[in-house]
Amino acid sequence: MTAPAADSGCVLCAQDGGALVWRGEKLRLIRAAEEGFPAFYRVIWNAHAAELSDLSDADRNLCMQAVAVVERAMRDALAPAKINLAALGNMVPHLHWHVIARHDWDSHFPASVWAAPLRARDADREAGVAAQLSMLDAQLAERLSAIFR
Amino acid sequence: MTAPAADSGCVLCAQDGGALVWRGEKLRLIRAAEEGFPAFYRVIWNAHAAELSDLSDADRNLCMQAVAVVERAMRDALAPAKINLAALGNMVPHLHWHVIARHDWDSHFPASVWAAPLRARDADREAGVAAQLSMLDAQLAERLSAIFR
């Protein structure tokens, strides 16, 4: 196999991009450290691709299967009000999917995490979510390993 | 075939949700009317499903193929700086994908469209994008019809 294409100026080609939860041949999962949203993961395509439509059909299916597996594990563990999925990449145009558990008590709900906050953060409830994340990380790694190389 | 499941309280079960560009058996494409972002489309799953992980593997693949087809047609027609994809659904928990062409001159770039604006809108350039949309709508409908029922 040839090495994935890399862009020397791209931070997601150079670095994991967060706390690595699982790494496979095609993609990796990291847990982000975004204030106010403890259960905020990113599925990052390993090779440098800017847009989802740059992937082959097979690769796109694989990428979105991984996103769905991560989403499902987060739903099972956290029972959030909603999962938010987004591939923006305006600042880092290397395909990465934000997978974010939203709760109706979080500082921005039902607005997007990129909007202005609607209320104060709830430190106790955030800590309650955070306390579940080491177990969730392990479940995520197990589920991804069961499906992907 | 049985009718898709519908939720009587759901606006995306009751209405198209925007200017209909194309409708298929499983999904539809609408063009939204979001101020400042003329090339803002939504791929809406016809049946009521809250989360991507509620779809079968086959349906998820089909849904994301449609998103990629829309994205590719938008890139071909508009050569945007970036495409943004998002399935949030905090307010309307019925699976819909925002597919948004972003330009480096738009009012929010490189922030998300849900963030605070970074500069004034450029009416002339917005009009330049808007002038291409009737042709893009036709191309989108043609490409989707070629692939999906």
Side-chain angles (χ1 to χ4, degrees), chain A residues 21-25 27 29 62 65-66 69-70 73 137-149, chain B residues 57:
Chain A
V21 175
W22 183 82
R23 177 185 286 275
E25 187 180 291
L27 55 86
L29 178 68
L62 187 151
Q65 183 181 14
V69 165
V70 169
D137 285 355
Q139 291 167 345
L140 286 162
E142 184 180 341
R143 293 192 193 190
L144 291 166
S145 293
I147 299 175
F148 303 106
R149 285 185 297 179
Chain B
D57 287 351

Side-chain angles (χ1 to χ4, degrees), chain A residues 50-54 60-61 65 71-72 75 82-90 97 102 110 112 114-115, chain B residues 50-54 60-61 65 71-72 75 82-90 97 102 110 112 114-115:
Chain A
E51 305 281 12
L52 184 68
S53 57
D54 289 329
R60 185 186 63 246
N61 289 346
Q65 183 181 14
E71 176 182 291
R72 172 57 69 183
R75 294 172 72 188
K82 193 70 187 65
I83 296 287
N84 290 173
L85 304 177
L88 306 180
N90 301 327
W97 282 97
R102 302 298 307 279
S112 94
W114 299 283
Chain B
E51 305 280 11
L52 185 67
S53 57
D54 289 329
R60 185 185 63 246
N61 289 347
Q65 182 181 13
E71 175 181 292
R72 172 56 71 183
R75 293 172 72 187
K82 192 70 188 65
I83 297 286
N84 290 174
L85 305 177
L88 306 180
N90 301 326
W97 281 97
R102 303 297 309 278
S112 93
W114 299 282

Side-chain angles (χ1 to χ4, degrees), chain B residues 3 9 11 19-21 29 33 56 58 60-61 65 67 74 83 92 104 108 112 117 148:
Chain B
V11 67
L20 190 67
V21 176
L29 178 68
S56 68
R60 185 185 63 246
N61 289 347
Q65 182 181 13
V67 170
M74 292 170 70
I83 297 286
V92 180
D104 59 8
H108 289 56
S112 93
F148 302 105

Side-chain angles (χ1 to χ4, degrees), chain A residues 74-119:
Chain A
M74 292 168 72
R75 294 172 72 188
D76 290 348
L78 304 174
K82 193 70 187 65
I83 296 287
N84 290 173
L85 304 177
L88 306 180
N90 301 327
M91 294 195 236
V92 181
H94 175 130
L95 183 61
H96 59 283
W97 282 97
H98 305 284
V99 187
I100 312 163
R102 302 298 307 279
H103 293 88
D104 59 9
W105 47 259
D106 77 37
S107 52
H108 289 57
F109 196 88
S112 94
V113 302
W114 299 283
L118 297 173
R119 65 188 68 83

